[in-house]
Amino acid sequence: MHELLAEFGNKFHYYGYFAIMMIGLYAMIAKTNLLKKCIGLGIFQTAIMLFYVSIGAKEGAGIPILDPAVGTADPAAYANPLPHVLMLTAIVVSVATLGVALALVQNIHRDHGTLEEDEILQRLRGK
Amino acid sequence: MKRLALFTVILAGVLFAATASEFPRLGDPDSAPSRHLSPAYIQGSLPQTHTPNFVTAVLGDYRGFDTMFETAVVFLAGMSCFFILRALRRRGLTEVYYYRHKPTGVVLAMLAPRRISPRTSCFERIDADWTPQDMVVETMCLFMVPFIQVFALYVIAHGHYSPGGGFQGGVLLAASFILVGLSRDLRTVESLLTEKTAILTAAAGVCLYAGTGLLALFFGGNFLDYGAYASFFGAAVPAARSMGILIVEIGVALTVMATLVTIYKLVSSRGTVEEGL
């Protein structure tokens, strides 16, 4: 029992990321407002970013910039730079793709006068 | 529908949670991602690229292809925004332009073809939902702009030695333009950075990146191998790589800045780039 708790204590942050991710996924599936779906997408992406950056963390490590006093003999002295690079580009790309999503949402609102998915579907079926 | 969604989400969450025990613990220096490639990056960065910031070295050199295509994705996102919103004609919209007489505050509404020349100094064009602006907010926001831009240039140029680089600096530059748009109006941004200039700048940034990579072929290197420029710069191979990273970062910054400003202008004005936030 004690070992199980220790195991959970070492991994507890993953449950947080999964919770955030599932909140975003739920928003994307269940919300009928298109703008709220976009927000759900953003929450989902945030969980992925947190997950990646946590993977790169090392105990007692500094930022991934060379410290002349420390040197590079021991790689454990620096955080893993790779997740930082991946998430750096992912953040900017997520902003740009959010712009595209907002442009599409704006066009839908102009054509249908609403952002509620069921109302748009009704209008498309009925007329 | 909502219940089905909740069930799916909870099921997915439980499945994810079941895999959590397979992941490394927080801060494990011997975890799989930190064992194989990461030490090579950390130890090779300074001797191979003369870049103390490992993140910049990985971004600009080791993973140059990835960054090039990410930049292309940003550019394409801006272009899609342009074609989704801008290219469509506005049907059946009677355009009314509003002009405010500055000394008296009287507002004139004019139907579309007629305009008051912007050179007539006693009238200023205002948005349809114009409200009197606070002079303090406007002045302070415009006061901040040059400082933001200088800091952005520092972030781009100093990305080799401190946290920073093309993406961050480009976003800061875009933020300075968006601040002008928020504190004044969209037409001021348009006069500072027109749509055409912005899109050309974005394309130029991608071309600068891809061109730097392509030109390396003519110097006898591989695509995106900046070490080939050693003879051109008259420097050692690592120094040439450092230089190549800087050029590439400038290209990234141009693309990111121009694209984000374009997206802001289009989305905030519903594609007209006339009136908006």
Side-chain angles (χ1 to χ4, degrees):
Chain A
M1 188 64 199
H2 183 71
E3 282 167 10
L4 204 66
L5 271 179
E7 174 77 4
F8 181 79
N10 282 331
K11 308 275 170 73
F12 68 96
H13 57 294
Y14 291 115
Y15 298 103
Y17 308 148
F18 294 146
I20 298 172
M21 198 192 272
M22 288 307 121
I23 289 168
L25 189 65
Y26 180 77
M28 279 197 285
I29 297 173
K31 292 289 168 190
T32 52
N33 191 312
L34 293 176
L35 210 53
K36 286 182 183 168
K37 278 180 192 281
C38 291
I39 295 170
L41 187 69
I43 296 171
F44 194 96
Q45 286 171 333
T46 310
I48 305 275
M49 286 160 197
L50 283 169
F51 174 71
Y52 263 77
V53 172
S54 83
I55 288 278
K58 290 180 198 165
E59 243 160 30
I63 54 171
I65 294 174
L66 180 75
D67 185 352
V70 177
T72 55
D74 181 20
Y78 301 100
N80 189 348
L82 192 54
H84 294 244
V85 173
L86 296 175
M87 289 308 106
L88 187 91
T89 51
I91 288 168
V92 177
V93 169
S94 81
V95 171
T97 49
L98 183 68
V100 178
L102 287 178
L104 287 169
V105 164
Q106 226 171 49
N107 263 6
I108 290 168
H109 185 264
R110 196 195 53 202
D111 288 352
H112 298 282
T114 175
L115 286 180
E116 294 297 325
E117 200 180 38
D118 36 2
E119 287 176 31
I120 294 166
L121 285 174
Q122 233 168 27
R123 280 175 58 106
L124 287 174
R125 269 197 219 107
K127 284 283 171 186
Chain B
M1 184 63 204
K2 284 219 159 140
R3 275 211 191 133
L4 188 64
L6 197 64
F7 174 72
T8 316
V9 164
I10 289 175
L11 184 68
V14 168
L15 285 176
F16 271 122
T19 63
S21 59
E22 306 289 330
F23 287 119
R25 67 181 172 83
L26 183 61
D28 184 5
D30 293 322
S31 65
S34 305
R35 227 174 15 214
H36 300 289
L37 212 46
S38 158
Y41 288 148
I42 289 170
Q43 289 173 336
S45 176
L46 193 68
Q48 285 170 0
T49 65
H50 269 201
T51 307
N53 185 350
F54 311 134
V55 174
T56 304
V58 176
L59 183 86
D61 201 332
Y62 293 109
R63 292 183 65 91
F65 265 106
D66 182 25
T67 313
M68 188 178 83
F69 286 115
E70 297 272 13
T71 315
V73 165
V74 171
F75 172 66
L76 285 178
M79 291 311 290
S80 350
C81 227
F82 179 82
F83 284 119
I84 290 165
L85 281 174
R86 185 72 168 131
L88 293 171
R89 285 175 293 120
R90 282 162 293 160
R91 288 152 293 179
L93 252 164
T94 41
E95 289 172 60
V96 185
Y97 296 144
Y98 294 91
Y99 294 91
R100 180 169 161 273
H101 187 235
K102 276 189 245 173
T104 59
V106 175
V107 174
L108 299 179
M110 304 192 84
L111 280 177
R114 296 186 185 188
R115 280 168 179 260
I116 296 177
S117 162
R119 287 180 189 81
T120 318
S121 59
C122 59
F123 279 100
E124 63 170 353
R125 168 97 189 271
I126 55 169
D127 292 352
D129 54 355
W130 184 83
T131 47
Q133 281 161 321
D134 192 353
M135 200 177 75
V136 176
V137 173
E138 192 182 320
T139 313
M140 281 316 291
C141 285
L142 295 182
F143 176 74
M144 289 298 290
V145 166
F147 294 102
I148 295 175
Q149 289 182 341
V150 167
F151 183 65
L153 293 177
Y154 163 77
V155 165
I156 296 168
H158 211 256
H160 285 57
Y161 301 96
S162 61
F167 283 99
Q168 300 93 318
V171 170
L172 276 169
L173 281 174
S176 72
F177 284 105
I178 290 170
L179 189 61
V180 173
L182 286 173
S183 62
R184 291 286 278 276
D185 50 18
L186 209 60
R187 289 178 297 280
T188 317
V189 186
E190 182 68 15
S191 67
L192 291 170
L193 185 70
T194 60
E195 252 189 318
K196 197 175 163 188
T197 322
I199 288 173
L200 284 176
T201 312
V206 178
C207 285
L208 185 64
Y209 199 138
T212 310
L214 201 63
L215 209 62
L217 292 177
F218 296 100
F219 283 88
N222 290 321
F223 187 65
L224 284 174
D225 178 11
Y226 321 124
Y229 294 123
S231 59
F232 178 73
F233 289 126
V237 171
R241 289 215 177 99
S242 170
M243 210 64 185
I245 292 174
L246 180 64
I247 296 170
V248 156
E249 294 268 22
I250 290 168
V252 170
L254 289 177
T255 303
V256 169
M257 174 198 78
T259 305
L260 290 187
V261 172
T262 308
I263 289 176
Y264 168 76
K265 279 202 279 199
L266 287 166
V267 171
S268 70
S269 68
R270 297 182 157 230
T272 60
V273 196
E274 285 268 335
E275 293 184 2
L277 279 173

